[in-house]
Amino acid sequence: MNKQLTEHLRYGSPSAIPEIESHRTIDTLLSHQSCRTFSKKQITDDIKRLLFAAAQSAPSKSNLQQYSLIDVGCSSIRTELIQMFPFIRWALDAPMLVFIIGDTHRTQEINRARNHTFRWEQTDAFLNAAVDASLALAFMIAAAGSIGVGTCPVSKVRESSESIAKLLKLPKGAFPICACAFGYPHKDTQSISPRLPQSLVVHRDTYQSIDFNEIDQYDETFNRVAGPPKARYPEKFGEPKQSTWSDNVARQTAVLERPDFREMCERQGLFRKQS
């Protein structure tokens, strides 16, 4: 692999970004699969640089680039994470583990250093950072898929967002969005999850009412292709006669998950405390 420093348009200065043959973009996107079983093959520093460069190639609100990516390789941090989230050890043990951080801290520090006062409306500022970070992650996932690296974002880490903020030493203005596991798939093929039909997602000119016949048809398609999903919260709602995608949507959103996330954001200086 060529490690020679070359002038790269993305950074405008000599950068060690390797040249790698990859698959066609559309094929990569349409065949995307989440990966939850990784081989022991490690991801090289060259590949990491490539993936981070892809993340930084995503569009960004006013080019503010309000996100940070924390590559967690420290064994002691990984051990603490596994103790916090034993049920997602498969992700926390992945060859590469990256935390996606919404980051208004850097923006505010630049603001102060240039003798200005940060005045953005808090909810809008939070949303801008969250979208910037999410787009960066999406580009990183697409790049990984194009070179045969499997990925799986994990939002479960927000269930202990305060502990994550402390463990990763996040400053005021920075907040965790999710983690993402990267690694070479243990198996060559995995199931591709069917998505909702475009007729339910793509609206023409104005928002259209929901056709529940199509929701039912999607449930049937999902179960036929991927098998019935594991029922959410059976201890609260019982076992359904037939588990479906829509039933799980209703179950999951009927439970208050991550109730401390707002409080963590307040402590991180992102929102004013509720009275």
Side-chain angles (χ1 to χ4, degrees):
M1 187 174 295
N2 181 16
K3 295 183 180 180
Q4 183 179 359
L5 291 176
T6 57
E7 190 82 10
H8 197 280
L9 293 176
R10 181 52 61 199
Y11 295 103
S13 61
S15 306
I17 300 178
E19 295 181 3
I20 294 178
E21 182 178 353
S22 62
H23 305 298
R24 294 176 60 189
T25 302
I26 295 297
D27 291 342
T28 299
L29 294 174
L30 295 185
S31 61
H32 171 73
Q33 309 163 36
S34 290
C35 179
R36 293 178 176 83
T37 54
F38 302 102
S39 72
K40 294 182 179 180
K41 182 179 179 182
Q42 294 301 302
I43 296 179
T44 66
D45 289 341
D46 275 350
I47 295 297
K48 286 187 176 185
R49 278 192 290 269
L50 179 67
L51 296 179
F52 290 134
Q56 289 188 266
S57 297
S60 169
K61 156 65 180 169
S62 300
N63 198 28
L64 294 175
Q65 304 174 62
Q66 295 187 110
Y67 57 88
S68 287
L69 307 168
I70 301 181
D71 180 11
V72 178
C74 175
S75 59
S76 62
I77 294 178
R78 293 251 194 155
T79 298
E80 287 194 56
L81 289 169
I82 290 169
Q83 290 173 350
M84 279 189 258
F85 309 105
F87 296 114
I88 56 169
R89 181 169 190 149
W90 58 267
L92 304 175
D93 267 342
M96 180 179 176
L97 178 67
V98 178
F99 274 78
I100 316 303
I101 308 299
D103 191 353
T104 67
H105 172 76
R106 184 169 55 242
T107 305
Q108 294 183 57
E109 288 298 295
I110 292 172
N111 196 287
R112 280 190 284 269
R114 297 296 181 263
N115 299 315
H116 288 284
T117 301
F118 188 82
R119 297 186 185 279
W120 270 16
E121 197 280 324
Q122 291 177 313
T123 305
D124 191 49
F126 175 86
L127 183 60
N128 285 331
V131 171
D132 271 11
S134 300
L135 287 170
L137 174 60
F139 270 51
M140 199 174 180
I141 288 173
S146 75
I147 56 174
V149 174
T151 60
C152 189
V154 182
S155 65
K156 191 173 182 66
V157 296
R158 288 206 308 277
E159 291 182 6
S160 296
S161 53
E162 181 73 22
S163 297
I164 292 297
K166 291 179 180 178
L167 184 62
L168 302 181
K169 299 182 179 178
L170 301 185
K172 295 286 187 181
F175 59 97
I177 292 177
C178 68
C180 191
F182 294 80
Y184 294 94
H186 182 66
K187 299 179 181 179
D188 291 334
T189 59
Q190 299 181 63
S191 62
I192 297 177
S193 178
R195 295 298 197 237
L196 288 166
Q198 290 189 14
S199 54
L200 280 171
V201 176
V202 181
H203 302 259
R204 307 297 179 190
D205 297 322
T206 60
Y207 199 99
Q208 306 299 306
S209 59
I210 298 170
D211 184 342
F212 276 92
N213 287 326
E214 291 201 79
I215 295 288
D216 292 339
Q217 290 173 16
Y218 173 68
D219 281 338
E220 293 177 7
T221 298
F222 189 99
N223 284 8
R224 173 174 51 81
V225 174
K230 183 179 179 181
R232 303 269 184 175
Y233 296 108
E235 71 282 2
K236 185 176 180 66
F237 302 113
E239 291 287 352
K241 291 182 179 179
Q242 169 106 51
S243 181
T244 63
W245 173 84
S246 64
D247 185 55
N248 267 353
V249 168
R251 286 166 172 254
Q252 186 169 3
T253 54
V255 174
L256 180 60
E257 294 185 336
R258 302 159 192 159
D260 65 337
F261 185 71
R262 168 83 193 201
E263 293 178 3
M264 184 279 301
C265 287
E266 290 173 354
R267 283 190 284 271
Q268 288 296 106
L270 293 156
F271 298 116
R272 297 181 182 89
K273 290 187 177 182
Q274 296 175 324
S275 58

